[in-house]
Amino acid sequence: MAESLKTEDTPEPFEPPIPSLPMVTDHEKELAAQASQEFEKGHYQASLHTLNRLAVTRGNDHKVAYNKAIATYYHSGFKKTDEFKQSMLAVCQSARVNVDNIDSLDDVDHCVMYYNQAVLLYYLKQYKASLTIMDKLFQFIEPLEESLCKKVMLFLVELYLTTHQPEKAMAMLSFLEKQLFGNGKQSTPEKGDKGDSSSHEGSPTEFYRPRLSHYKVRCLLMLKSMKSCKRELKNLMNIMGMTLPVVYLKSNFEYLRGNHRKAIKVLNSAPMPKHFMETGECVPVMYNNNLGCLHFHMRKHNLGTFYFRKAFEENTSAMRELNSGDGGASLSGKPIQTVSMSRHYELLYNLGIELLHCGKPLAAFDCLIEAVQVYQINPRLWLRLAECCIMANRENNDVDRQLKQRLKVIEGSVGSGVHRKLILSEGMHKNKEWCLESPAMPVATIEFASLCLCNALVLLPQDPLTATEAPSGEEHPEGGTKPHENIMVPAPPGNPMRPSEVANLRCSVLANSSYVSLCLCDYLVAHNHAEHLLRQPKLSGAHRYLGNMYNAEALTALDRIADAVQHLNIEVVTDVSTTPPEQKQDQTDKGDRNGDKEQELGESKGALYPWSPRDVVKARALMQYNLAVAHAVRGEFDKAMNNLMQSTKDMGSPLPAQVYFLRLYLDLLEGRRKIAQGIIKEHFGHVTPNRAI
């Protein structure tokens, strides 16, 4: 066997030195200034011609080569992206600059190369990689040239907003305002970057103020600071007028305030948009998507579905036109701003949610299962997939009140005359079909719903209830606030979820997990999920009600009747609303301040999908029915009958089929044959003999 090389025998890497550049002559300075002026005026062909003359005498100067690549790219209309990337890579290699390794940046002269790399990554939707580069560049903000310095800060604001970090964006805007309006220096465009190439006319205040105001409105909208946003939006409209971006910002502002009809009116007043090849945004897609969102919150789900489908068709048509040449396989041949223009998966997500609220779970499942391939880290999306599976299995509880279900109580009859006998059914779910495929198969089944809910729980941060004990040697800071309580959970394509939203989502996931476990006859797991749900600190009335009901059913199946009865106390049912406690308090405070104005915004309040029971009276009646079942299982038939009779008074008509099952069971068990025959004749006369009993 050959011996391995020793450390001292390892050859040292050799890098040829960078050739030294000659001194810049006056003629070369004139050519460089001429090329810069032509570039800033938009005369890219002339600028490129001047740079070629300059390259004759400075062929080894990587700055000249880099500016040639920039001018060539601008001259192509940002269409030759592949060639531009290769040119940038070649120049960076000759200058010994590794743009893929941001830690290697140590020369201020190389900052513009990293800046352009970050811009390129931004257009390719690699926002985190772009932000990593820009955060490093911000450390060199002092020695940077003034124009590039401002572009770095503006680009950082854009990246912070794109990555849903409005607090950092506002801090950067404040810092930029001090730099712009504190020293009064004029800004000069930087040639060797791909930022805004328009000429800077007038004072810095006139040029930057509209852009800064635009960014402020976006930040305040994301922070949902409505009062400050209203003031800043008014200022922006005075500066820019009702341009297309301002119209969409104002519409978004009215949407967040709950003025949905006014938002539609503002949206319809937008001016004619430019072609998407110029802007990189397909305005018809944005328009129809926004209308779909507005009608969603107005509870017009079918109309919202129409607009989402229209937006989807517009997006497909635009992408077909854009990729007509090479089918989208190459970056070249289309402007860089259109490379990431497609909103395919965002629209699928919105359409799936809307279809779910329309009561079309299978169509919604098909949309969301495709969207989850891109947004795997969104726990809310996994919950919606589980809800599609649950709705496909059982649409709602009102199904049991239908005549078709009630007729299942009597299966039929045998014999004739005095020997005629009626056959009672075994129950509502006697012929339940189990999924024979793997639960991991993306099919709208209860088994797959269980997998989706597990994914949602894993993606949520650690529950404070399960992290009550700190590790040995570690103590939580004073005040009892855990570090994970302030974590923002990503939920693409939407904004990250705040701690209050995470708490509400966890309650929904636990409630659905308990229900799914009951459907799968996994009663111990259902009991554990229900117990965990009931221990949550911020619990809505509906979740508390469901937690008690599911827990009681699981405990009954586990033959722990005494524990089940404790969860079926109807006196504790005082609220069945789906509104979280903190949101309900906010609505109460707002109603006290605004008086009758709250009624005008009523369309934005409450649950987006109606659920049963809708009031406390019916909720107590259903719980009392379950209490009757628990007493019947324990053999306390008198208590069971009393609770059953009381529950049927407030349950509403028609009664669910389960009520007839329990009533006939108790009457026959207690020997009340005549009463049972009367109930059968009254409600199931089609199977009884047509004669007096």
Side-chain angles (χ1 to χ4, degrees):
M1 180 182 294
E3 296 181 358
S4 60
L5 292 175
K6 298 180 180 179
T7 306
E8 55 269 23
D9 296 334
T10 304
E12 293 292 335
F14 172 75
E15 293 183 0
I18 300 176
S20 59
L21 298 174
M23 295 293 293
V24 181
T25 65
D26 293 339
H27 178 65
E28 291 172 346
K29 289 181 180 179
E30 293 176 1
L31 288 176
Q34 180 183 349
S36 179
Q37 292 174 3
E38 291 169 344
F39 182 86
E40 296 302 336
K41 292 179 180 179
H43 303 157
Y44 305 122
Q45 180 68 33
S47 177
L48 189 58
H49 178 70
T50 306
L51 286 172
N52 287 330
R53 292 171 55 193
L54 185 60
V56 174
T57 57
R58 303 190 66 82
N60 294 329
D61 194 336
H62 65 271
K63 292 184 179 179
V64 176
Y66 197 78
N67 284 331
K68 281 181 60 179
I70 293 289
T72 303
Y73 191 48
Y74 269 74
H75 181 59
S76 69
F78 306 109
K79 292 183 179 180
K80 297 181 179 180
T81 305
D82 290 325
E83 292 84 344
F84 175 66
K85 290 176 64 178
Q86 293 175 2
S87 300
M88 277 210 315
L89 181 61
V91 174
C92 291
Q93 287 178 349
S94 65
R96 307 289 170 76
V97 176
N98 184 7
V99 291
D100 294 327
N101 183 14
I102 188 60
D103 295 329
S104 64
L105 174 60
D106 53 6
D107 190 347
V108 177
D109 292 337
H110 297 158
C111 285
V112 67
M113 297 183 182
Y114 285 92
Y115 174 80
N116 284 335
Q117 177 70 8
V119 173
L120 192 60
L121 292 172
Y122 169 82
Y123 281 116
L124 297 178
K125 283 193 173 182
Q126 300 181 29
Y127 303 125
K128 290 186 178 180
S130 179
L131 185 57
T132 302
I133 295 176
M134 295 307 298
D135 283 336
K136 180 69 173 181
L137 286 182
F138 188 69
Q139 299 176 12
F140 294 81
I141 202 70
E142 291 295 335
L144 284 179
E145 294 184 12
E146 185 180 0
S147 60
L148 182 58
C149 170
K150 294 171 183 176
K151 291 177 181 178
V152 166
M153 289 186 285
L154 284 171
F155 190 33
L156 270 171
V157 173
E158 178 67 34
L159 283 171
Y160 285 140
L161 288 173
T162 305
T163 54
H164 306 289
Q165 302 180 66
E167 295 87 356
K168 291 185 177 180
M170 284 295 290
M172 184 60 63
L173 282 172
S174 300
F175 181 78
L176 180 56
E177 281 185 325
K178 293 179 182 178
Q179 297 294 318
L180 287 174
F181 310 129
N183 50 27
K185 292 182 180 180
Q186 294 288 337
S187 58
T188 305
E190 179 72 17
K191 180 187 176 188
D193 61 53
K194 286 174 42 244
D196 190 357
S197 61
S198 59
S199 60
H200 292 216
E201 299 179 358
S203 65
T205 301
E206 295 175 357
F207 178 80
Y208 285 103
R209 190 175 296 280
R211 194 168 182 182
L212 294 179
S213 181
H214 181 271
Y215 277 134
K216 278 186 180 180
V217 173
R218 290 177 59 187
C219 290
L220 294 170
L221 284 174
M222 197 171 291
L223 291 169
K224 296 184 179 180
S225 180
M226 296 293 102
K227 188 174 294 185
S228 301
C229 184
K230 182 179 181 180
R231 183 168 54 252
E232 191 62 40
L233 185 60
K234 185 177 181 180
N235 181 41
L236 179 63
M237 289 189 293
N238 292 334
I239 297 174
M240 298 182 62
M242 294 302 289
T243 60
L244 188 66
V246 175
V247 167
Y248 273 78
L249 286 175
K250 182 170 177 56
S251 178
N252 193 3
F253 171 73
E254 299 295 344
Y255 162 75
L256 292 177
R257 292 183 66 193
N259 300 331
H260 301 132
R261 298 185 185 279
K262 188 174 181 180
I264 294 176
K265 185 178 180 180
V266 173
L267 205 59
N268 289 329
S269 67
M272 289 296 295
K274 297 181 180 179
H275 195 267
F276 65 84
M277 295 292 282
E278 300 180 32
T279 61
E281 291 288 350
C282 187
V283 176
V285 174
M286 298 165 53
Y287 173 78
N288 288 290
N289 177 75
N290 290 359
L291 283 180
C293 293
L294 288 166
H295 285 94
F296 172 82
H297 285 278
M298 293 170 66
R299 314 301 194 271
K300 299 179 180 180
H301 299 301
N302 288 296
L303 192 55
T305 301
F306 167 78
Y307 284 113
F308 282 132
R309 290 188 187 277
K310 197 171 181 180
F312 193 84
E313 293 171 359
E314 291 284 355
N315 184 77
T316 304
S317 176
M319 295 310 299
R320 188 184 300 113
E321 179 182 349
L322 182 64
N323 300 324
S324 58
D326 58 355
S330 174
L331 295 178
S332 296
K334 49 193 173 186
I336 183 64
Q337 63 267 22
T338 63
V339 170
S340 57
M341 189 185 69
S342 176
R343 294 292 181 264
H344 177 78
Y345 291 100
E346 291 96 323
L347 293 173
L348 276 178
Y349 181 89
N350 288 345
L351 180 59
I353 300 299
E354 191 71 280
L355 287 170
L356 179 61
H357 283 77
C358 284
K360 300 176 181 178
L362 296 179
F365 182 85
D366 292 337
C367 293
L368 296 179
I369 201 65
E370 186 174 350
V372 82
Q373 300 176 29
V374 178
Y375 308 121
Q376 305 99 327
I377 62 173
N378 186 351
R380 186 181 286 142
L381 176 53
W382 288 106
L383 172 63
R384 299 296 174 246
L385 275 171
E387 290 175 345
C388 290
C389 299
I390 293 172
M391 185 178 289
N393 180 72
R394 181 181 180 84
E395 184 175 357
N396 53 53
N397 290 329
D398 292 335
V399 175
D400 294 332
R401 297 177 182 267
Q402 297 176 0
L403 178 62
K404 179 182 177 181
Q405 297 295 325
R406 288 186 283 120
L407 292 180
K408 292 181 179 180
V409 176
I410 306 295
E411 279 196 352
S413 61
V414 294
S416 60
V418 295
H419 302 290
R420 181 182 177 88
K421 306 293 183 182
L422 297 179
I423 303 176
L424 300 181
S425 175
E426 298 178 7
M428 298 294 296
H429 308 291
K430 61 173 183 175
N431 295 323
K432 184 175 181 179
E433 297 181 0
W434 298 95
C435 180
L436 301 179
E437 298 180 352
S438 170
M441 294 297 294
V443 185
T445 60
I446 290 295
E447 290 79 4
F448 187 72
S450 177
L451 180 63
C452 293
L453 293 168
C454 289
N455 290 343
L457 285 174
V458 169
L459 289 170
L460 290 174
Q462 187 179 13
D463 191 349
L465 297 178
T466 61
T468 53
E469 297 183 2
S472 59
E474 298 182 8
E475 294 182 359
H476 295 300
E478 294 183 2
T481 302
K482 314 291 191 302
H484 56 267
E485 290 182 353
N486 297 320
I487 293 178
M488 300 282 284
V489 178
N495 295 334
M497 292 185 291
R498 300 184 180 275
S500 59
E501 297 173 320
V502 173
N504 191 35
L505 180 63
R506 179 178 282 110
C507 293
S508 298
V509 173
L510 289 172
N512 281 273
S513 298
S514 182
Y515 173 80
V516 168
S517 299
L518 287 173
C519 293
L520 296 175
C521 300
D522 199 346
Y523 301 115
L524 184 59
V525 174
H527 163 65
N528 292 334
H529 284 310
E531 284 288 335
H532 195 180
L533 172 63
L534 292 173
R535 292 200 305 269
Q536 295 298 313
K538 299 178 181 179
L539 204 58
S540 67
H543 283 143
R544 187 175 302 279
Y545 177 78
L546 292 176
N548 283 311
M549 293 285 278
Y550 294 158
N551 206 357
E553 184 173 349
L555 290 170
T556 302
L558 293 172
D559 200 22
R560 295 169 55 182
I561 310 300
D563 295 333
V565 170
Q566 295 179 1
H567 288 279
L568 297 174
N569 183 8
I570 62 174
E571 299 299 329
V572 301
V573 181
T574 57
D575 178 28
V576 290
S577 65
T578 57
T579 307
E582 63 275 6
Q583 186 177 345
K584 185 182 297 183
Q585 183 63 37
D586 293 342
Q587 293 179 7
T588 303
D589 297 340
K590 188 181 293 184
D592 294 339
R593 294 193 301 267
N594 297 341
D596 296 336
K597 290 184 179 180
E598 187 69 15
Q599 297 178 359
E600 299 177 4
L601 305 179
E603 62 185 10
S604 63
K605 308 303 180 188
L608 290 169
Y609 190 82
W611 81 293
S612 179
R614 296 179 178 84
D615 54 66
V616 175
V617 175
K618 288 186 178 180
R620 288 185 172 185
L622 292 173
M623 180 173 282
Q624 196 166 17
Y625 163 78
N626 283 272
L627 180 61
V629 174
H631 284 305
V633 173
R634 195 160 58 176
E636 299 172 349
F637 303 121
D638 292 338
K639 292 183 178 179
M641 180 59 73
N642 291 334
N643 282 287
L644 178 63
M645 296 303 294
Q646 292 179 13
S647 67
T648 54
K649 295 178 181 178
D650 300 323
M651 198 174 294
S653 60
L655 295 174
Q658 291 89 337
V659 173
Y660 297 105
F661 276 109
L662 181 59
R663 179 63 191 274
L664 290 175
Y665 172 79
L666 293 175
D667 285 335
L668 293 175
L669 201 64
E670 291 289 299
R672 296 186 288 269
R673 183 178 177 183
K674 292 289 185 181
I675 298 178
Q677 287 179 331
I679 294 173
I680 293 174
K681 185 174 182 180
E682 180 180 356
H683 298 282
F684 309 96
H686 64 288
V687 295
T688 57
N690 190 16
R691 58 184 178 82
I693 297 181

